Amino acid sequence: MTTNQCDIGLIGLAVMGENLVLNMESKGFSVAAFNRTTEVTEKFAANRAQGKNIQPTKTMGEFVGALKRPRKAMIMVKAGAPVDAVIGQLAPLVEKGDVIIDGGNSLFTDTQRRCKDLEGRGIHFVGCGVSGGEEGALKGPSLMPGGSRESWEIIAPIFRKIAAQVDGEPCCRYMGPDGAGHYVKMVHNGIEYGDMQLICEAYAILKDVVNMNVKELAETFTEWNKGELDSYLIDITSQIFRKIDPETGRVLATIPSPGGGRDSGLAWAEGTLWVGQYRDRKIHQIDAETGAILRTLECSRFVTGVTWVDGELWHGTWEGDESDLRRIDPRTGEVLESLEMPRGAGISGLESDGGDRFFCGGGKSGKVRTVRRPKRGPAMG
């Protein structure tokens, strides 16, 4: 890709940043990517960004040079001083009429201050709330941009396209001047935290006053999730990580969930549990008695299931239209073998029959696919 050809650029390649870059690219935009730690950029370029219309850059100058005018540079770093530090490096390199976007959870008064400073230099500044977590960033977040009307008009074609779409309308609206976007995100977060408190209090009343057991509580929250209370928070509350007696349903023990409700399958092997962590692309080996994490293995795609057979650790992946089964080294996470699925045939769950067959959930297809495990040659003495 030649200089000045990228439609937009993004700084900060943690999970949210990477996923937003991939989202933008999947919607037809060319994207420049930069991270303060060069190794992070190189790893992204060699794995998830490989073969895509994404331009990895190693310096801030190279990053700015890769962008079309008017330049649009989005910052996805930790709120507070890190945002000011990035702006301090970026602002001297851009020109009047360019747009800097802060997509983190910045305090709206900080956004007002930054907007006043940059607009005084002729540089547009947008404070944009981003909601939906890692999965939303990849597949379509809710976006709450605030800043000058002119800056909104410059970024609108991209932001309206990458946002979640509901009934043909993008979940993205201009919120108003300077800190309006981050103010709305603050209110949004407050409502979410209020919902979480209500769920906690409902749980406490049902458990301690109504005397429901865990099985009844799970059934109640599952039923609530079928009606007006249908939501992500109610859904994950109903799926409490627990160990039960299969005969009575009585909870025998509980251990903390390493993914905080974002886990995707588990397997028992040689005295420990292996737990997939879907959104963070990780597999944890955990102590089944205490829940302590013994080892963490990184994956380059979303982890959609874990199984152990004949001393081999396998897991499923699914990201976009690409999906595969991988045998990995349980010590290092190195991919030892990969069984690619047909494009569009996503794996949404994984189990083994203990022999030579894998059973793979088929996502929205409603099918379970059987995949044969590769045969092994005789052991060599």
Side-chain angles (χ1 to χ4, degrees):
M1 190 180 295
T2 57
T3 303
N4 302 127
Q5 289 302 305
C6 292
D7 298 307
I8 190 169
L10 189 139
I11 299 167
L13 297 177
V15 177
M16 286 288 291
E18 282 193 6
N19 283 359
L20 280 170
V21 169
L22 293 170
N23 181 356
M24 293 168 181
E25 194 274 344
S26 72
K27 301 302 189 299
F29 301 106
S30 53
V31 190
F34 174 77
N35 195 82
R36 179 175 57 86
T37 307
T38 304
E39 290 80 4
V40 173
T41 308
E42 291 174 343
K43 182 179 178 181
F44 178 53
N47 292 283
R48 303 181 73 203
Q50 189 172 28
K52 300 183 185 299
N53 199 12
I54 296 169
Q55 176 65 50
T57 60
K58 295 183 178 180
T59 67
M60 192 70 81
E62 183 185 354
F63 171 80
V64 172
L67 302 176
K68 291 179 183 176
R69 292 180 174 86
R71 301 179 182 91
K72 295 167 282 292
M74 187 169 187
I75 301 170
M76 291 296 296
V77 300
K78 186 178 179 181
V83 176
D84 287 320
V86 172
I87 292 174
Q89 297 170 9
L90 180 61
L93 302 177
V94 299
E95 301 171 346
K96 290 184 177 181
D98 291 343
V99 186
I100 297 175
I101 307 131
D102 173 18
N105 273 324
S106 291
L107 182 64
F108 74 96
T109 51
D110 285 343
T111 304
Q112 289 175 321
R113 169 178 56 80
R114 292 165 185 147
C115 189
K116 182 178 180 181
D117 174 53
L118 291 168
E119 293 285 352
R121 293 188 257 172
I123 301 168
H124 295 298
F125 185 71
V126 173
C128 183
V130 179
S131 179
E134 296 99 326
E135 187 172 6
L138 181 67
K139 298 180 179 179
S142 172
L143 298 172
M144 297 154 258
S148 69
R149 174 69 68 172
E150 185 179 354
S151 65
W152 161 240
E153 297 297 337
I154 294 170
I155 68 170
I158 296 176
F159 275 49
R160 287 175 61 83
K161 198 166 183 180
I162 68 170
Q165 308 290 315
V166 178
D167 298 328
E169 286 292 318
C171 294
C172 177
R173 290 288 187 276
Y174 173 61
M175 296 292 112
D178 51 65
H182 279 141
Y183 184 88
V184 171
K185 180 66 190 326
M186 178 184 68
V187 174
H188 165 98
N189 286 348
I191 293 170
E192 182 177 34
Y193 301 154
D195 280 346
M196 292 166 67
Q197 180 66 30
L198 286 170
I199 289 171
C200 291
E201 292 181 8
Y203 174 87
I205 291 170
L206 293 174
K207 178 177 179 292
D208 298 331
V209 179
V210 183
N211 293 319
M212 283 188 179
N213 59 37
V214 173
K215 184 173 182 291
E216 292 170 329
L217 285 163
E219 290 173 350
T220 298
F221 277 92
T222 299
E223 191 62 31
W224 285 355
N225 200 49
K226 296 177 182 177
E228 293 182 357
L229 296 179
D230 175 22
S231 67
Y232 174 73
L233 292 176
I234 294 292
D235 182 40
I236 62 174
T237 303
S238 71
Q239 299 178 34
I240 300 168
F241 190 80
R242 62 190 182 227
K243 181 179 178 183
I244 63 173
D245 183 323
E247 297 296 326
T248 66
R250 185 171 65 87
V251 177
L252 303 177
T254 64
I255 57 176
S257 168
R262 298 174 295 179
D263 306 297
S264 54
L266 73 163
W268 173 263
E270 302 176 351
T272 60
L273 286 170
W274 294 87
V275 181
Q277 196 170 337
Y278 171 69
R279 292 183 179 87
D280 289 345
R281 303 177 186 82
K282 295 177 181 177
I283 297 172
H284 298 293
Q285 182 186 20
I286 65 175
D287 186 309
E289 294 298 322
T290 66
I293 296 176
L294 306 175
R295 179 183 288 119
T296 297
L297 307 177
E298 301 283 345
C299 179
S300 60
R301 291 182 185 165
F302 289 146
V303 176
T304 56
V306 183
T307 192
W308 184 283
V309 58
D310 291 341
E312 298 176 354
L313 179 60
W314 288 80
H315 73 89
T317 78
W318 186 5
E319 194 142 337
D321 289 331
E322 299 174 342
S323 194
D324 68 350
L325 289 171
R326 297 178 179 181
R327 177 168 69 92
I328 62 174
D329 187 320
R331 297 165 301 174
T332 66
E334 177 186 0
V335 178
L336 305 175
E337 193 172 9
S338 175
L339 306 178
E340 289 286 340
M341 301 294 286
R343 191 170 180 81
I347 298 173
S348 60
L350 175 65
E351 188 52 87
S352 164
D353 66 352
D356 63 353
R357 292 185 300 175
F358 294 119
F359 299 99
C360 307
K364 295 181 180 178
S365 71
K367 299 178 181 178
V368 175
R369 297 182 174 88
T370 303
V371 178
R372 192 166 297 279
R373 185 165 64 104
K375 292 185 179 295
R376 304 287 176 231
M380 301 300 290

